[in-house]
Amino acid sequence: MASKQPFTDSDIADEAVRATCDDASICKRFATSKGYWTDLYVQYFVRQAGERKAPEINRGYYGRVKGMNLLIDAFLKKTQCDCQVVNLGVENIMPKKFFEVDFPMIVARKIHHIKTKPPLSKPLIETHSTDSLLLDGHSLDSDRYCIIGADLRDFPTLEEKLKKFQINPELPTLFLSECVLVYMTSEQSSKLVHWVADTFPTAMFINYEQVNMNDRFGEIMIENLQRRQCNLAGVDLCQSLDSQKERFLSAGWKSVNALDMMTVYSMLPQEDVARYTSLEFLDEKELLQQLLQHYCICWAVGGLLFSGLSQIGF
């Protein structure tokens, strides 16, 4: 019998990153249970939180989801849904085709949920003929939805798998990421966004991530993650809104914008803000403000074939 290979430092670091993904999913489920937004399917993928989440955490996730969705909706309207979306870790949306990319281990777990839970599998089965639906333990592909297990740091394999499942570079394409690029080295994430800009003539990239990480609050965030053996390998690009934008500008993207979440919050629909502020009492207003000042949304547009994308914003 072959001996089991010991875990490497890289394996431990990757497992710590996957744990942060689980934590975020649990927080999102708790926020939906409080009524911040509606998600009909999160209950089938994520266990209920074992403990109450603080109001500032719930409001932070509300801003994250609402802000991302406003830009996603604007992209879908501009393209009239004649587009495709490559999700590197965000809530589901339905364009012409939706590609989801994640760690192979997370993909296997997600596919298991889909295969074993009728509310997830039934819509797929009902809308696809048998010969157009591929579903196994490592990948899922249909006419409208595809989930792929891949490491974003391995560009050749990522590109090979996207081509295998018939991604169309000629369609307007939206790439989404939430706190993903920061776990790659700056060189790796820059190569990724450069590849997207070179491969897709009409593209948009929306990235939610840390910012202003060079002050004491940012240092505490980094220290807390390091105690969990989770290293923010690309934190040097999270020092300011300018450094976030420069990653895309230096990779050839034509138009780049970035706002911290405090600013995004001020631009959200006021009727919805009034609704969610009534859900629970917020005592730590200063902590919420600090959290919002240390996250941002950066969105970049590339290509000249669909200039209307450059008008997208809050």
Side-chain angles (χ1 to χ4, degrees), residues 113-272:
H113 288 311
I114 293 172
K115 291 171 68 174
T116 58
K117 297 177 180 178
L120 299 175
S121 58
K122 189 176 179 181
L124 280 174
I125 295 170
E126 288 180 344
T127 56
H128 297 87
S129 61
T130 304
D131 58 354
S132 69
L133 179 62
L134 167 66
L135 181 60
D136 58 34
H138 305 285
S139 58
L140 183 159
D141 186 43
S142 69
D143 295 334
R144 300 287 302 279
Y145 176 66
C146 177
I147 181 169
I148 301 168
D151 189 327
L152 298 180
R153 298 164 296 191
D154 183 355
F155 302 115
T157 301
L158 172 63
E159 186 171 18
E160 176 188 342
K161 290 187 175 183
L162 286 171
K163 287 180 177 178
K164 174 185 176 182
F165 293 109
Q166 300 178 331
I167 196 165
N168 182 359
E170 300 308 313
L171 275 179
T173 304
L174 174 61
F175 279 75
L176 306 172
S177 69
E178 286 185 10
C179 297
V180 172
L181 303 185
V182 70
Y183 292 111
M184 305 165 67
T185 67
S186 299
E187 181 182 5
Q188 289 167 338
S189 69
S190 294
K191 283 183 178 179
L192 176 63
V193 300
H194 201 293
W195 170 77
V196 174
D198 286 347
T199 304
F200 298 87
T202 305
M204 182 174 178
F205 202 119
I206 307 175
N207 181 41
Y208 172 91
E209 199 165 66
Q210 292 89 340
V211 74
N212 298 325
M213 295 295 283
N214 53 358
D215 64 10
R216 182 55 189 152
F217 191 86
E219 290 174 358
I220 293 172
M221 290 172 66
I222 293 171
E223 290 167 3
N224 287 339
L225 285 166
Q226 287 177 337
R227 277 195 285 271
R228 299 176 59 181
Q229 297 182 305
C230 194
N231 178 41
L232 298 182
V235 73
D236 53 311
L237 293 180
C238 301
Q239 300 307 304
S240 67
L241 294 176
D242 286 338
S243 64
Q244 284 281 0
K245 292 191 288 187
E246 182 57 30
R247 167 166 40 203
F248 291 91
L249 290 170
S250 62
W253 292 80
K254 305 298 182 184
S255 172
V256 186
N257 294 277
L259 297 172
D260 68 44
M261 292 307 297
M262 194 73 185
T263 304
V264 171
Y265 237 72
S266 70
M267 297 177 171
L268 297 179
Q270 289 305 299
E271 64 275 13
D272 204 39

Side-chain angles (χ1 to χ4, degrees), residues 282-299:
L282 176 66
D283 186 38
E284 298 287 346
K285 293 183 179 180
E286 183 178 346
L287 177 56
L288 174 62
Q289 182 175 339
Q290 288 179 312
L291 284 170
L292 295 177
Q293 289 171 341
H294 286 82
Y295 285 92
C296 71
I297 294 179
C298 180
W299 66 102

Side-chain angles (χ1 to χ4, degrees), residues 3-22:
S3 60
K4 189 174 181 179
Q5 294 297 314
F7 286 113
T8 65
D9 289 344
S10 178
D11 293 329
I12 294 172
D14 286 352
E15 181 56 35
V17 172
R18 287 191 286 269
T20 66
C21 173
D22 292 340

Side-chain angles (χ1 to χ4, degrees), residues 5-69:
Q5 294 297 314
F7 286 113
T8 65
D9 289 344
S10 178
D11 293 329
I12 294 172
D14 286 352
E15 181 56 35
V17 172
R18 287 191 286 269
T20 66
C21 173
D22 292 340
D23 291 345
S25 297
I26 291 170
C27 287
K28 285 182 177 180
R29 177 168 182 185
F30 184 83
T32 61
S33 74
K34 298 294 290 185
Y36 280 87
W37 71 93
T38 301
D39 187 327
L40 300 177
Y41 298 103
V42 67
Q43 62 182 307
Y44 301 113
F45 289 106
V46 185
R47 63 179 173 82
Q48 183 59 282
E51 58 185 23
R52 177 180 177 273
K53 302 300 179 182
E56 59 269 17
I57 299 299
N58 297 329
R59 294 194 187 188
Y61 276 97
Y62 164 83
R64 170 175 174 170
V65 170
K66 192 72 174 181
M68 293 288 287
N69 282 350

